[in-house]
């Protein structure tokens, strides 16, 4: 891996006010609190109100970052929003966010790799800064999954929630954050997790075209618990520290059983694993930044810690990053 010249300097997050608990779900579909907890580890999730969209959540997450770290964003020169639930097909969420924040001299683009979005966004930001093309980038992972969730499908509606997290990535040759990375995709398995748009067929097979998320949970689960441990192994082969030197593992918060299985297969202690799904459910591209910020606010993540982030999901794409945490 090329020596990075980029450092994560600040973090912020936001979740909508409305809470949807497992007990609330009992009134919507045939399920119960014990069943949901046992299978997913999720207790509740946050739901955006009718007129609250991904751009609004992204804006609030950046505001939170600015207030906590007293950061100016006037000189941000690129905005990357990682999302699969944009307000519009065009303009991008990033362009809407640029307008809402009043940033004058920034490029703006969305990255859609679903649940691995945030780690992909960091990968792109690191590349842009390390190459010398950019100096200061906002990377946001935000999704309003409730807007594409079928609340009559008990296998998916118990999983998803809404939220967002933002980080600022700045040029810093002395204390770079990015130590190693790994990215991959198995598009041939994409039919296991999709949300239809223009096409009604994928690889010559008809799709359910409801405009809502369709997931084969069993297939995605099998894919994740084999792919992520292999990806971690690949990532650590290029890392400057051994796997035992990782302080915190921050995987995509899809499902607690999945995370437990990944920890078991990699021999990584679950006690040193951070996740946001208990309170927020699966928020797609937002789960990792929400887990990170939760870890920061609870005093678990400290400067100097080595963090292994790993996103995986729709695509079926995956991506990991080994981070030297040093914000402020």
């Amino acid at each position: 891996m090329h020596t990075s010249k980029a450092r994560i300097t600040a973090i912020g997050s936001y979740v909508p006010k409305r809470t949807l608990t497992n007990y609330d779900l009992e009134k919507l579909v045939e399920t119960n609190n014990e069943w949901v907890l046992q299978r997913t580890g999720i207790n509740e999730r946050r739901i955006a109100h009718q007129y609250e969209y991904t751009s609004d959540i992204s804006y609030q997450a950046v505001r939170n970052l600015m207030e906590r770290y007293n950061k100016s964003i006037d000189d941000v020169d690129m905005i990357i929003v990682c999302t699969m639930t944009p307000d519009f097909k065009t303009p991008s969420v990033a362009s809407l966010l640029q307008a809402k924040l009043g940033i004058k001299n920034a490029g703006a683009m969305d990255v859609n790799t679903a649940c691995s979005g945030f780690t992909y966004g960091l990968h792109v930001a690191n590349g842009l800064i390390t190459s010398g093309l950019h100096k200061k980038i906002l990377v946001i992972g935000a999704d309003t999954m409730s807007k594409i969730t079928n609340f009559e499908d008990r296998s998916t509606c118990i999983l998803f929630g809404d939220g967002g997290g933002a980080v600022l990535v700045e040029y810093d040759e002395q204390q770079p954050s990015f130590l190693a990375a790994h990215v991959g995709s198995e598009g041939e398995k994409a039919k296991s997790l999709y949300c239809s748009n223009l096409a009604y067929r994928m690889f010559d097979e008809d799709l359910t075209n409801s405009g809502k998320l369709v997931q084969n949970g069993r297939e995605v689960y099998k894919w994740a618990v084999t792919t992520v441990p292999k990806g971690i192994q690949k990532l650590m082969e290029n890392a400057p520290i051994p796997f035992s030197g990782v302080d915190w593992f921050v995987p995509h918060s899809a499902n607690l059983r999945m995370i437990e299985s990944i920890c078991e297969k990699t021999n990584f202690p679950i006690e040193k694993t951070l996740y946001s799904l208990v309170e927020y459910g699966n928020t797609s591209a937002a789960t990792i930044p929400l887990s990170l910020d939760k870890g920061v606010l609870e005093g678990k993540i400290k400067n100097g810690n080595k963090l292994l982030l790993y996103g995986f999901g729709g695509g079926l794409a995956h991506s990991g990053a080994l981070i030297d945490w040093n914000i402020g």
Side-chain angles (χ1 to χ4, degrees):
M1 169 140 183
H2 297 296
T3 308
S4 171
K5 295 176 185 173
R7 176 164 77 98
I8 297 170
T9 60
I11 188 167
S13 60
Y14 170 81
V15 289
K17 308 255 178 301
R18 184 185 157 204
T19 300
L20 182 72
T21 66
N22 293 343
Y23 295 106
D24 296 328
L25 282 170
E26 288 178 4
K27 297 167 194 154
L28 296 175
V29 285
E30 199 182 317
T31 193
N32 62 68
N33 177 54
E34 290 73 28
W35 192 88
V36 177
L37 266 180
Q38 189 190 336
R39 278 167 179 74
T40 69
I42 298 166
N43 217 343
E44 55 189 48
R45 56 299 283 146
R46 298 298 182 95
I47 306 294
H49 63 70
Q50 190 181 352
Y51 302 113
E52 186 176 33
Y53 295 96
T54 302
S55 66
D56 303 309
I57 286 174
S58 301
Y59 174 75
Q60 294 297 344
V62 175
R63 295 282 318 169
N64 180 252
L65 174 154
M66 289 162 68
E67 283 157 20
R68 282 162 54 193
Y69 292 90
N70 197 19
K71 286 283 186 187
S72 159
I73 54 162
D74 298 342
D75 55 344
V76 160
D77 54 15
M78 179 62 82
I79 300 166
I80 300 172
V81 176
C82 314
T83 187
M84 61 173 284
T85 53
D87 306 26
F88 305 99
K89 287 192 176 111
T90 191
S92 68
V93 176
S95 283
L96 296 171
L97 184 59
Q98 171 266 315
K100 287 179 189 203
L101 292 167
I103 300 173
K104 293 286 178 257
N105 300 304
M109 64 176 172
D110 287 1
V111 169
N112 176 5
T113 54
C115 307
S116 58
F118 185 72
T119 41
Y120 265 95
L122 288 179
H123 190 65
V124 173
N126 176 39
L128 290 174
I129 290 175
T130 299
S131 69
L133 290 173
H134 288 269
K135 282 277 198 274
K136 196 170 181 180
I137 301 180
L138 275 169
V139 180
I140 297 99
D143 270 303
T144 44
M145 296 303 289
S146 65
K147 297 189 190 297
I148 60 163
T149 297
N150 176 1
F151 282 95
E152 290 171 6
D153 172 13
R154 68 175 188 163
S155 68
T156 58
C157 75
I158 61 170
L159 298 170
F160 295 103
D162 305 334
V167 292
L168 194 59
V169 187
E170 299 188 61
Y171 181 84
D172 188 338
E173 257 183 283
Q174 305 309 310
Q175 298 177 298
S177 295
F178 298 86
L179 303 178
H182 177 68
V183 297
S185 168
E186 288 179 65
E188 57 277 17
K189 295 181 176 158
K191 202 165 172 261
S192 299
L193 176 54
Y194 68 88
C195 182
S196 57
N197 187 355
L198 301 178
Y200 286 73
R201 292 168 73 76
M202 189 190 294
F203 305 129
D204 297 327
E205 284 186 61
D206 289 338
L207 298 176
T208 305
N209 194 29
S210 60
K212 301 289 183 191
L213 194 79
V214 178
Q215 173 172 275
N216 181 332
R218 190 168 281 134
E219 286 306 311
V220 174
Y221 192 101
K222 274 193 328 206
W223 172 80
V225 300
T226 53
T227 305
V228 177
K230 281 183 198 157
I232 289 171
Q233 194 181 340
K234 279 254 184 353
L235 188 151
M236 292 311 299
E237 281 169 13
N238 300 314
I241 61 164
F243 192 43
S244 57
V246 172
D247 295 296
W248 297 104
F249 175 39
V250 192
H252 164 49
S253 273
N255 176 320
L256 190 52
R257 302 301 155 258
M258 214 181 248
I259 293 172
E260 285 167 349
S261 177
I262 290 164
C263 285
E264 204 176 299
K265 288 190 175 194
T266 54
N267 286 323
F268 194 84
I270 191 86
E271 307 77 50
K272 288 164 68 178
T273 302
L274 302 176
Y275 43 87
S276 51
L277 58 86
V278 179
E279 306 92 333
Y280 303 138
N282 179 345
T283 52
S284 188
T287 70
I288 290 176
L290 285 174
S291 302
L292 283 172
D293 206 18
K294 193 169 174 287
V296 169
L297 293 168
E298 288 173 359
K300 289 178 177 174
I301 297 179
K302 298 186 169 59
N303 279 357
N305 280 174
K306 305 297 181 279
L307 317 179
L308 177 61
L309 320 183
Y310 215 101
F312 53 90
L316 295 175
H318 57 101
S319 130
L322 183 64
I323 301 290
D324 187 1
W325 191 257
N326 192 354
I327 60 170

